[in-house]
Amino acid sequence: MSIGEDVVVLGVGLHPFGRFPTKSLDDLAREAGLAALDDAGIEFNQVEAGYLGRVGGTGPPVGVGMRIFGELGQHGIPITNIELACGSSSRSLMLAADAIRAGSVETAMVIGAEKMERGMLRVGGVDSDGYASLMGLNVMPAAYAMMAQRHMSEFGTKPEHFAQVSVKSHRNAMHNPNAQYRVAITLEEVLASRMVCEPLTLYQCCPTSDGASAVILASASFARRHTNTPVHLRAWAGGSPVYSRERSPQGEGPTGLVARRAYQKAGIGPEDVRVTQVHDAFTPGEILTIEELGYVKPGEGGPFVWEGGTEITGRCPVNTDGGLLSRGHPMGATGGAMVTEVVRQLRGQAGPRQVAGARAGLVQNAGIGGVNVLIFNT
Amino acid sequence: MTAGAGTPVAIKGAAFTIPADPAERPQLRGSACPSCGARFAGQRAICLGCGHRGLDECLLSPLGVVWTFTIVHQKPPGAILEPPYVIAQIRLQDGPFTQSIVTGCSVTDVRVGMPVVMTLYDTDRMSDGDRVVAFAFRPGTDAT
Ligand SMILES: [Zn+2]
């Protein structure tokens, strides 16, 4: 153990995403955790720190991490609960990676877990007689729909471009046994589904989900004793909104700024990334994010998706496991699931959804203004 | 707005004036930075532009333009508006952004860049004998 060591993803595991009314949050989390331990080939008593990413919703709000990690074993390690809305488990991973790079621990485990209610996500708390609730303003799809409308106005992006994101995501999820929706849908079906917030139809909104993810990180020296084919967490960066007098405070955080920091730390550029998972809670998430990540120029995201640029066989494969739209979005578990997919891609374990020649991958995960970018390579 | 019994009071969670003279325009209450001049909707203690501590209360311009918008077709739980209705982000003439519904035109007439003016919106709700009033923006310019 030493300061400044490389960080390796030693194990990943998921509980499938979907609806599991007979399972508790703890059940989901434990199954994901055990899957990651098996994948890493280590026992829980070799884990030196635990981080739980979770937003809330149903179940007890306090001390959940202690309870969940306590079911896997009790050997006195520090447990920390992390909440960054839909970016909770990727932020947990960043803090775990910081601890390893600082030389504080050799291994750390992140569990992300969530059980959610059905229905439209609302921004902020439920203030039943307040202005935003009564006037119908605090609706999550509206926030993304307004990003879409601004993009359409500035660049001429078309509703069909956004809809195509969902077509591609659903096709990818057919090959993912852990995905919530495993059915193909056509462009016509996406566009004809019920309008929610123009231009976004129902099939352009991610579902609410139950699910869990787990990721085990280790120092490179620890990892060498357990794997010959390590996937490195090469760089990570996070951010929160940047005030501007000139632009509205919309969006899911300053992805472009955070990505530039992450590229600089990793010593690579967008052209080196071969597989990417982005935060597509709604279809504009993919089109706007690939621009901010520097894969295409501002305004080119719509036509790029339309022409297949983000397909598994395209120049920049995005959301190869179905993304939030089709894999599902149990908020606290999502970041870990994105990392799981990138790791499987870089190991060549992605089966029918494998991207050829993937050596470097990127995760962009966002939560109400907080945004995380993580870069991996082999 | 429709006339009704009771004193009009601003809806909880929003701060704006309700002029006694219906010919006068309602205005959002905001905060102004005495150091750099930046303005913000609502109450702030510290300037986001320059970090100055202690902002002045001010009334914001009732005029603005639609920065972006969407037509909402699904009624959120607890909302009093019936879809379809328009939510917009509006850039006020004196700088700050605010979010509001847009009334006074067909939902399909709203465009990015459309000039709008602030207006009152009667919620048809009462609170302790007072009439609860919200705000909206409608198409219009300084002359209208
Ligand atoms: Zn200032």
Side-chain angles (χ1 to χ4, degrees):
Chain A
M1 170 155 52
S2 60
I3 295 173
E5 269 210 73
D6 275 356
V7 178
V8 168
V9 184
L10 199 57
V12 292
L14 295 179
H15 182 288
F17 288 10
R19 297 208 181 278
F20 303 94
T22 64
K23 289 190 178 180
S24 69
L25 181 79
D26 302 44
D27 293 336
L28 305 174
R30 186 183 60 252
E31 289 185 36
L34 292 174
L37 287 166
D38 291 348
D39 186 53
I42 66 170
E43 297 298 327
F44 184 62
N45 63 16
Q46 294 174 276
V47 173
E48 296 178 21
Y51 296 82
L52 184 85
R54 177 174 173 255
V55 180
T58 55
V62 176
V64 177
M66 196 66 72
R67 203 180 68 220
I68 282 172
F69 281 101
E71 280 201 46
L72 292 170
Q74 299 187 358
H75 55 290
I77 61 172
I79 306 296
T80 308
N81 292 283
I82 308 288
E83 187 269 308
L84 187 74
C86 309
S88 295
S89 55
S90 59
R91 178 58 54 84
S92 302
L93 268 163
M94 291 164 57
L95 296 172
D98 283 337
I100 291 170
R101 187 159 279 181
S104 305
V105 294
E106 281 203 281
T107 59
M109 182 169 184
V110 168
I111 295 180
E114 207 80 47
K115 275 184 83 73
M116 292 172 68
E117 293 167 10
R118 285 170 187 270
M120 201 191 259
L121 276 182
R122 275 178 288 176
V123 186
V126 180
D127 178 12
S128 60
D129 59 349
Y131 169 69
S133 290
L134 280 181
M135 299 305 280
L137 293 173
N138 54 353
V139 287
M140 214 45 215
Y144 274 83
M146 287 194 282
M147 294 182 220
Q149 292 280 359
R150 182 75 201 176
H151 205 264
M152 290 160 70
S153 169
E154 281 189 29
F155 300 113
T157 310
K158 295 182 167 61
E160 291 78 5
H161 296 161
F162 296 111
Q164 182 61 28
V165 171
S166 183
V167 174
K168 186 262 308 174
S169 289
H170 279 77
R171 193 187 306 124
N172 289 352
M174 287 178 70
H175 303 295
N176 179 3
N178 292 310
Q180 185 162 356
Y181 295 142
R182 299 187 64 198
V183 285
I185 49 174
T186 64
L187 183 71
E188 292 68 31
E189 287 171 319
V190 174
L191 289 168
S193 64
R194 178 162 52 80
M195 186 60 79
V196 177
C197 292
E198 290 189 29
L200 305 182
T201 55
L202 183 64
Y203 292 168
Q204 299 184 62
C205 306
C206 71
T208 58
S209 320
D210 301 342
S213 60
V215 180
I216 295 170
L217 300 181
S219 66
S221 54
F222 182 97
R224 258 193 296 279
R225 303 197 290 272
H226 296 273
T227 177
N228 296 322
T229 53
V231 171
H232 295 263
L233 172 49
R234 187 57 67 190
W236 54 97
S240 58
V242 178
Y243 169 69
S244 163
R245 269 167 100 150
E246 302 309 315
R247 294 191 70 84
S248 145
Q250 64 173 300
E252 281 269 32
T255 289
L257 174 75
V258 173
R260 285 192 293 279
R261 282 183 199 150
Y263 289 136
Q264 191 181 13
K265 288 184 187 182
I268 68 169
E271 65 284 357
D272 300 313
V273 177
R274 189 72 187 97
V275 59
T276 303
Q277 310 299 313
V278 302
H279 197 82
D280 62 335
F282 304 88
T283 50
E286 177 165 318
I287 288 177
L288 275 62
T289 301
I290 60 172
E291 296 177 3
E292 294 208 61
L293 292 175
Y295 298 169
V296 294
K297 293 195 180 75
E300 292 180 356
F304 187 73
V305 165
W306 182 252
E307 289 156 16
T310 59
E311 301 271 358
I312 286 171
T313 52
R315 178 165 73 79
C316 299
V318 173
N319 292 350
T320 47
D321 66 347
L324 280 63
L325 286 169
S326 313
R327 179 194 63 233
H329 181 35
M331 297 182 285
T334 286
M338 294 171 141
V339 171
T340 296
E341 174 66 6
V342 163
V343 168
R344 289 187 174 147
Q345 289 281 351
L346 297 185
R347 288 176 180 167
Q349 296 173 337
R353 52 180 206 282
Q354 181 67 46
V355 172
R359 299 287 309 277
L362 183 149
V363 164
Q364 180 260 0
N365 183 205
I368 321 277
V371 60
N372 304 322
V373 172
L374 298 87
I375 295 174
F376 303 81
N377 67 4
T378 54
Chain B
M1 69 190 262
T2 54
T7 314
V9 293
I11 189 170
K12 202 171 78 179
F16 53 94
T17 61
I18 303 176
D21 178 357
E24 284 182 46
R25 284 214 177 92
Q27 284 175 274
L28 287 171
R29 295 186 189 279
S31 309
C33 178
S35 177
C36 76
R39 290 182 154 222
F40 306 91
Q43 206 170 27
R44 286 201 76 87
I46 299 159
C47 178
L48 290 175
C50 72
H52 183 86
R53 300 180 192 181
L55 303 190
D56 300 328
E57 286 181 21
C58 68
L59 294 178
L60 300 175
S61 171
L63 305 174
V65 295
V66 173
W67 172 264
T68 187
F69 71 98
T70 182
I71 307 172
V72 179
H73 289 262
Q74 182 179 339
K75 185 169 177 162
I80 57 172
L81 286 129
E82 286 303 323
Y85 63 90
V86 171
I87 298 179
Q89 288 179 341
I90 290 157
R91 185 170 195 187
L92 300 176
Q93 203 168 63
D94 48 354
F97 289 88
T98 188
Q99 188 160 307
S100 168
I101 59 162
V102 175
T103 58
C105 64
S106 163
V107 294
T108 54
D109 287 343
V110 178
R111 295 285 179 273
V112 170
M114 185 173 86
V116 287
V117 296
M118 186 170 156
T119 180
L120 294 178
Y121 183 92
D122 203 318
T123 66
D124 289 327
R125 294 212 169 189
M126 302 294 286
S127 173
D128 296 329
D130 295 329
R131 223 152 30 88
V132 178
V133 173
F135 69 90
F137 282 76
R138 62 169 175 78
T141 60
D142 205 16
T144 54

